[in-house]
């Protein structure tokens, strides 16, 4: 039976080879026949000029060079935006005033009370508090549990203290949002600073145990002649080891560095590239002016004109206002992304010679909601993955539970950065983040049918979702202030 099976498999293999040879032979014969027909047609007296071929726009043609069509789309987009800009100038005049943004942030109405700038200066106290707690822990002057409790108090105070000051002083919401952005970044950095130093202490403690075991064995075997110096071997490397990293210069380098995840030895570039740095600084100055101009000239009037339809709940007018706001809002959002994640963070990285420049990935190609959130803000993604998601997996939690916790933390900070400056808690930002969950399910199903349509859905959620949230918050903010003014009167 084995011999028969072997013989049958050989026969099948021979048949397949012969079949392949026949197909190749028939293909070659067909090509030769076509070439002979073309030669015969070329010799005809009517001078034939046609040949079988597909239209360029057909998928069977294999044509992929649509550069001219893309240029046309860019030109049409530019012309339509220029028309909108001219219409805006003719309707509202010139509304651009950069000093208004400065006044909103520092609060020039009361030159002796600048709550936003004062709060940013007070950030140093939380940095120093975290630093001294780490110093005490490195010298075993307090236990790990007490150190964790002190870090917890520092982090909670860092979140609550600026919110309380903002509620009491009531500064401009824009300046308050920027200030809370600084404090949110500081909170994430301090958490990373405490956790990484804790990992280093644990590793150092384990190494000391191993070294103590080796020393006892060596002393017993050699009669107590060998003496250990108590230092770990560095093998000639220049890496900083714990607790040598616990000094102010190291801490403030991390506070200023364009990352949220602490390390004892950051990758460093060899030199500062002056031309690269100058280009990024020019981009920073130029783009911030463009964003301020677009906000004052285009977004503010559009939002102001939308208050009446939203107050009357006129659905058709509300949709029209949202669509009108979508274009300038998304344009400003894209400019902000480039300004912050490319220009600003690269300036910081270049000045500090910080070599890890992966601040974003190709989020614009997102075919799922998860891919977008994982790639558009890499510093936050790395922090969440390193300090929340992976530790939860190590403690036995599931991937889904880890993702939910990370998502809830992100939703909290989105709401924190909006509700506190506006001094009202409507949870629109939080609910907007929660709506990402069913949207992610829908986009995942669409992605199975067509990745192109899934990418379009991701873009549509970004273009339409933000204007809706802006309109809801501004409407509630105006209504709340109007009620407060009427009650005071």
């Amino acid at each position: 039976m084995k011999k028969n099976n072997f013989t049958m498999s050989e026969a099948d293999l021979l048949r397949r080879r012969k079949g392949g040879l026949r197909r190749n032979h028939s293909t070659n014969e067909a090509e030769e026949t076509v070439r002979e027909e073309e030669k015969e047609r070329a010799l005809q007296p009517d001078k034939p000029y046609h040949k079988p071929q597909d239209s360029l726009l057909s998928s069977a043609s294999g044509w992929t060079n649509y550069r001219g069509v893309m240029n046309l789309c860019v030109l049409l987009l530019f012309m339509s935006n220029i028309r909108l800009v001219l219409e805006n100038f003719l309707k509202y005049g010139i509304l651009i005033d950069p000093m208004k943004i400065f006044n909103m942030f520092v609060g020039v109405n009361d030159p002796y009370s600048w709550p936003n700038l004062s709060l940013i200066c007070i950030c140093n106290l939380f940095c120093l508090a975290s630093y001294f707690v780490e110093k005490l822990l490195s010298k075993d002057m307090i236990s790990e549990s007490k150190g964790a409790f002190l870090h917890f108090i520092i982090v909670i105070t860092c979140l609550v203290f600026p919110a309380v000051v903002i509620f009491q002083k009531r500064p401009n919401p824009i300046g308050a949002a920027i200030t809370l952005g600084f404090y949110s970044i500081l909170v994430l950095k301090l958490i990373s600073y405490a956790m990484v130093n804790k990992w280093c202490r644990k590793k150092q403690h384990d190494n000391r145990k191993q070294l103590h075991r080796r020393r006892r064995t060596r002393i017993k075997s050699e009669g107590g002649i060998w003496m250990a110096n108590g230092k770990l071997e560095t093998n000639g490397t220049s890496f900083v080891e714990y607790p040598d990293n616990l000094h102010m210069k190291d801490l403030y380098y991390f506070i200023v560095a364009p990352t949220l995840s602490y390390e004892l030895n950051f990758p460093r570039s060899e030199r500062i590239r002056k031309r690269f740095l100058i280009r990024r600084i020019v981009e920073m100055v130029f783009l911030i002016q463009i964003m301020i101009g677009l906000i004052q000239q285009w977004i503010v009037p559009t939002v102001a004109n939308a208050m009446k339809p939203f107050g009357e709940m006129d659905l058709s007018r509300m949709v029209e206002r949202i669509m009108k706001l979508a274009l300038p809002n998304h344009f400003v959002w894209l400019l902000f992304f480039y300004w912050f994640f490319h220009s600003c963070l690269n300036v910081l990285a270049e000045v500090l010679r910080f070599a890890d420049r992966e601040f974003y990935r190709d989020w614009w190609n997102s075919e799922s909601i998860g891919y977008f959130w994982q790639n558009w803000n890499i510093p936050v993604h790395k922090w969440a993955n390193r300090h929340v998601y992976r530790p939860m997996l190590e403690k036995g939690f599931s991937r889904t539970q880890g993702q939910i916790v990370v998502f809830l933390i992100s939703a909290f900070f989105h709401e924190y950065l909006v509700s506190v400056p506006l001094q009202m808690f409507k949870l629109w930002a939080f609910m907007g983040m929660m709506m990402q969950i069913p949207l992610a399910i829908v986009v995942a199903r669409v992605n199975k049918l067509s990745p192109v349509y899934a990418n379009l859905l991701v873009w549509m959620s970004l273009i339409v979702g933000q204007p809706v949230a802006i309109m809801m918050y501004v409407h509630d903010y105006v209504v709340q202030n109007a009620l407060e003014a009427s009650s005071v009167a």
Side-chain angles (χ1 to χ4, degrees):
M1 289 297 292
K2 291 182 180 179
K3 186 175 181 181
N4 292 335
N5 292 336
F6 180 73
T7 306
M8 291 177 64
S9 63
E10 282 187 344
D12 293 338
L13 183 59
L14 289 173
R15 286 195 208 99
R16 291 174 184 174
R17 288 179 178 176
K18 289 180 180 179
L21 291 174
R22 291 196 196 100
R23 284 193 295 271
N24 293 334
H25 184 66
S26 60
T27 303
N28 293 334
E29 287 182 351
E31 292 177 354
E32 290 178 1
T33 303
V34 171
R35 283 196 294 268
E36 290 176 359
E37 289 179 356
E38 290 179 353
K39 291 179 180 178
E40 291 178 1
R41 290 192 64 215
L43 297 175
Q44 297 299 316
D46 61 344
K47 297 181 180 180
Y49 204 69
H50 297 282
K51 60 180 179 180
Q53 55 185 345
D54 293 309
S55 300
L56 288 182
L57 297 180
S58 301
S59 58
S61 67
W63 186 262
T64 58
N65 186 5
Y66 297 101
R67 185 177 66 254
V69 178
M70 290 298 298
N71 292 337
L72 173 62
C73 293
V74 172
L75 181 60
L76 292 175
L77 181 64
F78 176 77
M79 293 178 65
S80 61
N81 287 330
I82 287 296
R83 185 196 66 80
L84 293 175
V85 170
L86 292 176
E87 179 184 358
N88 182 275
F89 277 116
L90 292 175
K91 185 175 181 179
Y92 300 109
I94 298 177
L95 303 176
I96 300 174
D97 185 4
M99 288 304 299
K100 285 185 178 180
I101 301 297
F102 179 77
N103 294 345
M104 289 177 180
F105 182 73
V106 300
V108 176
N109 294 332
D110 186 0
Y112 299 101
S113 177
W114 291 2
N116 295 318
L117 290 178
S118 300
L119 284 172
I120 291 178
C121 294
I122 294 173
C123 282
N124 293 282
L125 297 179
F126 298 99
C127 298
L128 295 174
S130 181
Y131 169 75
F132 285 119
V133 171
E134 286 300 322
K135 273 290 190 180
L136 294 175
L137 286 168
S138 67
K139 297 178 181 179
D140 294 330
M141 298 179 68
I142 58 175
S143 63
E144 286 290 339
S145 58
K146 290 182 179 179
F149 177 75
L150 291 175
H151 279 302
F152 176 77
I153 296 297
I154 292 171
V155 168
I156 294 299
T157 307
C158 195
L159 286 172
V160 174
F161 173 72
V164 172
V165 173
I166 288 172
F167 270 96
Q168 289 183 348
K169 298 295 183 179
R170 302 179 68 88
N172 186 275
I174 295 177
I178 296 173
T179 302
L180 290 180
F182 275 97
Y183 271 84
S184 300
I185 292 172
L186 180 63
V187 165
L188 300 182
K189 284 177 177 281
L190 293 181
I191 292 174
S192 180
Y193 186 71
M195 291 184 69
V196 171
N197 282 314
K198 181 179 179 180
W199 297 340
C200 292
R201 281 193 301 275
K202 184 177 182 301
K203 181 66 175 179
Q204 188 183 65
H205 183 66
D206 295 340
N207 290 339
R208 284 176 179 173
K209 283 185 177 180
Q210 295 175 3
L211 187 61
H212 182 62
R213 293 194 193 100
R214 291 199 302 267
R215 180 167 53 183
R216 286 193 304 174
T217 304
R218 181 72 64 88
I219 291 173
K220 184 176 180 180
S221 62
E222 297 184 5
I225 298 174
W226 181 84
M227 296 293 292
N229 58 17
K231 294 184 179 180
L232 297 175
E233 294 179 0
T234 60
N235 296 324
T237 61
S238 59
F239 290 146
V240 176
E241 296 182 354
Y242 184 87
D244 296 335
N245 64 307
L246 297 179
H247 54 82
M248 299 302 297
K249 184 178 179 181
D250 176 88
L251 173 60
Y252 274 95
Y253 179 89
F254 169 58
I255 295 298
V256 182
T259 180
L260 300 176
S261 302
Y262 177 68
E263 293 180 12
L264 274 67
N265 300 278
F266 287 111
R268 306 292 289 274
S269 55
E270 295 181 358
R271 61 183 181 86
I272 297 177
R273 298 171 294 177
K274 295 181 181 178
R275 292 183 179 179
F276 178 85
L277 180 61
I278 291 173
R279 286 198 298 269
R280 301 288 84 81
I281 292 175
V282 171
E283 289 175 355
M284 285 178 57
V285 176
F286 177 74
L287 291 178
I288 191 64
Q289 300 298 325
I290 295 295
M291 288 189 289
I292 291 174
L294 287 172
I295 292 171
Q296 292 182 329
Q297 187 69 41
W298 202 344
I299 293 180
V300 172
T302 303
V303 173
N305 292 335
M307 291 300 98
K308 184 177 179 181
F310 271 79
E312 298 175 352
M313 298 303 294
D314 187 345
L315 184 60
S316 59
R317 291 289 304 281
M318 288 168 61
V319 173
E320 185 269 336
R321 288 290 125 180
I322 290 174
M323 299 305 296
K324 188 174 183 179
L325 178 63
L327 180 62
N329 174 79
H330 194 66
F331 191 40
V332 170
W333 183 77
L334 291 175
L335 288 176
F336 174 79
F337 165 78
Y338 186 90
W339 175 79
F340 183 76
F341 286 98
H342 187 71
S343 300
C344 295
L345 294 186
N346 267 297
V347 166
L348 279 177
E350 197 67 29
V351 171
L352 298 173
R353 293 171 55 196
F354 186 83
D356 186 1
R357 310 294 176 88
E358 191 185 34
F359 305 125
Y360 54 89
R361 298 192 189 115
D362 61 331
W363 58 266
W364 46 85
N365 295 325
S366 299
E367 297 172 357
S368 66
I369 298 298
Y371 188 87
F372 168 79
W373 286 110
Q374 292 172 7
N375 291 276
W376 96 279
N377 190 339
I378 294 300
V380 170
H381 172 66
K382 287 182 177 178
W383 182 92
N385 188 44
R386 187 189 191 200
H387 297 294
V388 180
Y389 183 71
R390 287 185 180 179
M392 290 188 66
L393 294 184
E394 292 173 357
K395 291 182 179 179
F397 292 92
S398 65
R399 292 177 178 269
T400 302
Q401 290 173 329
Q403 292 171 354
I404 291 175
V405 171
V406 170
F407 198 77
L408 289 175
I409 292 174
S410 178
F412 164 77
F413 277 102
H414 277 79
E415 188 64 38
Y416 177 76
L417 293 173
V418 178
S419 294
V420 175
L422 295 177
Q423 302 183 22
M424 62 180 187
F425 296 94
K426 298 297 182 179
L427 300 180
W428 296 120
F430 189 87
M431 288 189 290
M433 291 294 295
M434 292 297 104
M435 289 298 295
Q436 299 288 313
I437 297 176
L439 178 63
I441 298 173
V442 172
V443 173
R445 292 183 178 179
V446 173
N447 189 30
K448 295 179 180 178
L449 302 175
S450 173
V452 175
Y453 292 150
N455 180 254
L456 290 175
L457 276 178
V458 174
W459 277 111
M460 185 60 67
S461 66
L462 296 174
I463 294 173
V464 178
Q466 293 175 1
V468 172
I470 291 173
M471 289 297 190
M472 299 302 292
Y473 273 110
V474 172
H475 174 265
D476 293 343
Y477 181 74
V478 171
V479 171
Q480 176 176 300
N481 288 346
L483 292 175
E484 291 180 357
S486 61
S487 62
V488 171

